Amino acid sequence: MHGNEGDEYMKNAVQRFGKFLSAMVMPNIGAFIAWGLITALFIEKGWFPNAKLATMVDPMLKYILPVLIGYQGGKLVAGDRGGVIAVIAILGVICGSNEVMFMGAMAMGPFAGWVIKKFDKAVDGHIPAGFEMLVNNFSIGIIGMILAIIGYYLIGPVMTAILTVLTAGVDFLIGHSLLPLVSVFVEPAKVLFLNNAINHGIFTPIGGEQVQAAGKSIMYMIEANPGAGLGVLSAYWAFSKDKRTKDSAPGAIIIHFFGGIHEIYFPYVLMNPVVIIASIVGSACAVFYYSLFNIGLTGPASPGSIIAFLTMAPKGSTLAVLLGVVIAAVVSFLVAAPIIKMSNGKSLEEASDSVQNMKAASKGIAKKAGEIKKIVFACDAGMGSSAMGATKFRNRIKPLGLGITVINSSVDTVPADTDVVVCQEVLADRAAKSAPNAQLVTIKNFLQDEAIDGLYDKLAQGREEGAVSVKEQTEQASSGTEAKPMVMVREGIKLGQKSVSKEEAIEAAGKLLYELGYVEKEYIEAMQERERTVTTYLGMGVAIPHGTGDAKNKVKKTGIVLVQYPDGVDFGDEKAYLVFGIAGIGNEHLELLGKITQVIDSQDNLDKLKAAGNVQDVLDMLK
């Protein structure tokens, strides 16, 4: 591996690690803030001392916060089962140490999720019918107990030792007035989107330990202080030669300083990379001041706005905390001003593009073909359109021999080890929340879309360049040789229907599912609701209406029906000639969906289905 490739690999590895840590901590920031406020308000030296209410501080710090972090880590790896077993295991870690076990939770949570995920994979298909719930419950109980014991005797003491070393290092830096040197690493890390690994992996655990001992911590002030960025933006506002940059700075100041969105000033640094010196020096001066006068916050300031920063100030320290922000801003401004005056750097537009590319890379969006091992097609319920999209793409890349797993999933339960998520545009936010470490490919429909073609081209090019090892595909979403239930019958196929509205077509498919005993009547309305949320039109003249994820309990048995409209039904700007109504339990319907996808992938077969006048011909094609 060449030097540049090695550096890029290391950078991506740190970014992924930091993003995973962030994904464990960020959903629980509200709990950290609640704990910080309780600490600031009710401890003996708080704003409103209250001995009874102050008793909540230690339990929240020692139990609730680590458990929440661990639960999130387990859930990221193995869903709800991973979260539950993580909680059991983390209790052992907490009881096996006298320290605050944030780091222990960050280690044990994902590990427990990984263990139960491996167990579930090992027993998949080997559990006797009727014993599934028994095995599922006892496996978590037994394995969780074992992990809790391991946590008590091994993980807890090991993490205590690590935390002791880190704390001693911080104490050494503080004692020798060297803590400001940390800014030399933190400020460039912020611009490179590497701060999450530092902030959530080191500062938060040490901060919690210091708050428990002293009621406050300087660790929460190193990265979140908005002063340095304020100084840089103010200098651009005052001295930039580029009118666009100068005019944009005031708006950026408001977003950065009051909104806490530090990313807004990154393009301004990248316009003149030397300006990073200003934020480093400004931040270092503030850290030196805070360290010299023993100033800290009671909890994390997230986001890093002046409002959150001052909210976490201990009683009597508000002005002292504010002064540190002013110091950072003034020093940063004074250092940045001459640099900006003398510089003719790149334009703000170019710098903004650089930031977007770097931010995309930090979120995994710049994954190389050789790094992609698992692709998930995700839709609202994970039942119909995503299954067909996954099948089509799996078959498409199979000749490439990439060894990539392609499956489908609900957009809210995307597996944590997913590299690429393919979903419709309206589901992008949910997909990003469900799989924060994955590349996101947004599409309009699952069967024909330029973004899917682009993903294929990327994988094919990677193979040609030797970026991907050639091996047999080892996983299929519909593998297995056991007998499959009949999910499509003659009575479920209606041909030659007159054109109707989209809603009437969905109603007709739903009634057919209901009349054949596949679903309860309420499922029909759930199909309409699903269509209102995101279209079930797939492309190529095919639609597959089905219920929302919440309506799965209205499915009595797996079934698929087909209603053919030779003149088409309007689904938005597209026409659907084949409307497949779907009701699925588990994965029982996936094999037939896969077959349907293979059939309609051929234009000749698709035309035959659209024009078919005999039910048996349709059944023969879909066998």
Side-chain angles (χ1 to χ4, degrees):
M1 185 178 291
H2 298 295
N4 290 339
E5 293 178 352
D7 292 343
E8 186 67 22
Y9 177 82
M10 181 61 68
K11 175 184 172 183
N12 289 336
V14 173
Q15 287 174 338
R16 288 193 297 269
F17 176 65
K19 192 66 180 176
F20 189 81
L21 292 178
S22 178
M24 282 193 283
V25 176
M26 289 305 294
N28 301 306
I29 284 295
F32 275 89
I33 292 174
W35 162 70
L37 290 174
I38 291 172
T39 302
L41 292 173
F42 303 125
I43 62 174
E44 186 177 350
K45 297 181 180 180
W47 290 89
F48 307 103
N50 187 309
K52 291 183 178 179
L53 294 179
T55 59
M56 293 189 290
V57 173
D58 284 347
M60 286 188 71
L61 181 63
K62 188 170 183 180
Y63 295 101
I64 293 180
L65 296 179
V67 166
L68 285 173
I69 290 172
Y71 173 82
Q72 192 67 28
K75 186 177 181 179
L76 284 170
V77 175
D80 291 337
R81 280 170 60 77
V84 171
I85 196 171
V87 170
I88 300 170
I90 286 162
L91 187 62
V93 177
I94 293 172
C95 294
S97 172
N98 293 322
E99 309 294 342
V100 179
M101 276 291 101
F102 290 160
M103 292 185 68
M106 291 176 180
M108 179 56 89
F111 176 67
W114 178 82
V115 170
I116 199 64
K117 183 177 180 179
K118 290 296 182 182
F119 173 84
D120 289 345
K121 186 175 181 180
V123 301
D124 186 31
H126 301 289
I127 303 174
F131 286 82
E132 293 86 356
M133 184 173 292
L134 184 69
V135 172
N136 287 342
N137 289 337
F138 271 84
S139 61
I140 284 185
I142 294 172
I143 298 174
M145 177 191 68
I146 294 172
L147 290 175
I149 294 172
I150 294 174
Y152 186 95
Y153 286 109
L154 179 62
I155 306 297
V158 169
M159 288 300 166
T160 298
I162 293 174
L163 185 58
T164 299
V165 171
L166 290 175
T167 304
V170 171
D171 290 341
F172 175 84
L173 293 176
I174 294 175
H176 291 77
S177 300
L178 296 176
L179 191 61
L181 294 178
V182 173
S183 299
V184 174
F185 304 100
V186 173
E187 290 305 311
K190 289 173 69 174
V191 178
L192 295 174
F193 294 91
L194 299 174
N195 54 313
N196 284 327
I198 301 171
N199 197 26
H200 298 308
I202 299 176
F203 290 169
T204 297
I206 297 177
E209 181 70 20
Q210 291 182 341
V211 169
Q212 187 181 40
K216 59 187 176 181
S217 175
I218 194 176
M219 294 293 103
Y220 297 133
M221 313 179 86
I222 296 175
E223 188 272 335
N225 189 336
L230 174 63
V232 168
L233 291 172
S234 299
Y236 270 105
W237 186 15
F239 301 112
S240 178
K241 300 174 184 177
D242 178 62
K243 186 176 185 302
R244 179 174 180 268
T245 303
K246 188 182 186 73
D247 292 344
S248 67
I253 288 173
I254 295 173
I255 295 171
H256 165 76
F257 195 64
F258 295 102
I261 310 302
H262 291 199
E263 288 86 349
I264 196 71
Y265 82 85
F266 295 174
Y268 295 83
V269 174
L270 292 174
M271 287 171 63
N272 300 295
V274 181
V275 171
I276 193 66
I277 297 174
S279 59
I280 290 174
V281 176
S283 177
C285 289
V287 172
F288 177 75
Y289 158 74
Y290 288 139
S291 179
L292 185 64
F293 291 97
N294 192 28
I295 301 171
L297 299 181
T298 60
S302 181
S305 73
I306 188 61
I307 298 170
F309 208 72
L310 295 181
T311 299
M312 289 299 154
K315 180 182 179 181
S317 299
T318 303
L319 291 179
V321 169
L322 180 60
L323 181 57
V325 177
V326 173
I327 290 172
V330 170
V331 172
S332 179
F333 176 86
L334 293 175
V335 176
I339 298 175
I340 294 170
K341 283 182 178 180
M342 296 184 293
S343 177
N344 290 310
K346 66 171 73 172
S347 69
L348 181 61
E349 183 176 358
E350 292 173 328
S352 298
D353 290 341
S354 297
V355 166
Q356 290 302 317
N357 292 334
M358 292 166 66
K359 190 169 185 178
S362 76
K363 293 185 176 180
I365 298 178
K367 288 181 181 291
K368 296 179 180 179
E371 298 173 337
I372 298 174
K373 300 300 179 185
K374 189 171 192 176
I375 300 174
V376 173
F377 281 64
C379 62
D380 181 62
M383 183 168 59
S385 52
S386 60
M388 297 184 73
T391 299
K392 180 178 173 66
F393 195 73
R394 185 187 309 117
N395 293 335
R396 187 176 180 185
I397 68 171
K398 189 174 182 179
L400 300 177
L402 302 175
I404 295 176
T405 300
V406 182
I407 63 173
N408 68 290
S409 164
S410 164
V411 71
D412 297 315
T413 58
V414 177
D417 59 346
T418 300
D419 297 305
V420 178
V421 178
V422 180
C423 70
Q424 289 159 300
E425 294 172 352
V426 296
L427 299 177
D429 290 343
R430 288 166 61 184
K433 182 178 179 181
S434 177
N437 298 318
Q439 172 183 347
L440 194 59
V441 176
T442 57
I443 60 174
K444 293 182 179 179
N445 68 69
F446 282 99
L447 295 186
Q448 287 179 312
D449 197 280
E450 292 180 357
I452 294 179
D453 293 339
L455 178 59
Y456 173 84
D457 292 341
K458 177 179 180 179
L459 297 175
Q461 182 180 1
R463 178 184 184 276
E464 292 172 1
E465 294 174 352
V468 185
S469 61
V470 179
K471 56 183 179 180
E472 292 295 323
Q473 186 168 345
T474 57
E475 294 187 44
Q476 296 288 334
S478 304
S479 62
T481 58
E482 68 273 15
K484 303 292 182 183
M486 292 292 293
V487 296
M488 184 171 248
V489 296
R490 294 180 61 89
E491 295 77 11
I493 300 175
K494 301 296 181 182
L495 304 178
Q497 303 298 299
K498 293 182 179 179
S499 293
V500 294
S501 68
K502 175 178 66 173
E503 290 74 19
E504 289 173 319
I506 295 173
E507 180 84 9
K511 282 185 177 179
L512 200 51
L513 288 169
Y514 170 65
E515 291 168 358
L516 293 174
Y518 294 128
V519 300
E520 297 177 16
K521 196 167 186 178
E522 293 79 1
Y523 188 79
I524 301 174
E525 176 54 33
M527 295 173 70
Q528 300 285 9
E529 178 63 29
R530 171 66 171 81
E531 188 65 30
R532 288 191 287 269
T533 302
V534 57
T535 183
T536 55
Y537 179 79
L538 290 181
M540 301 174 67
V542 179
I544 54 168
H546 54 276
T548 61
D550 294 337
K552 286 185 177 181
N553 61 343
K554 303 300 180 184
V555 179
K556 298 163 69 174
K557 62 180 180 178
T558 297
I560 298 179
V561 299
L562 168 62
V563 186
Q564 178 205 68
Y565 295 94
D567 294 325
V569 172
D570 290 332
F571 272 70
D573 297 329
E574 305 285 352
K575 277 190 179 292
Y577 301 92
L578 302 172
V579 177
F580 290 91
I582 298 173
I585 295 177
N587 294 328
E588 292 177 350
H589 64 303
L590 294 184
E591 184 174 2
L592 182 54
L593 280 180
K595 179 62 177 177
I596 292 171
T597 305
Q598 293 178 30
V599 170
I600 65 177
D601 203 26
S602 164
Q603 189 61 48
D604 288 342
N605 288 338
L606 185 60
D607 292 340
K608 289 178 183 178
L609 274 180
K610 291 178 180 178
N614 186 291
V615 171
Q616 189 58 48
D617 291 341
V618 175
L619 286 173
D620 290 342
M621 292 182 69
L622 300 177
K623 278 184 180 179

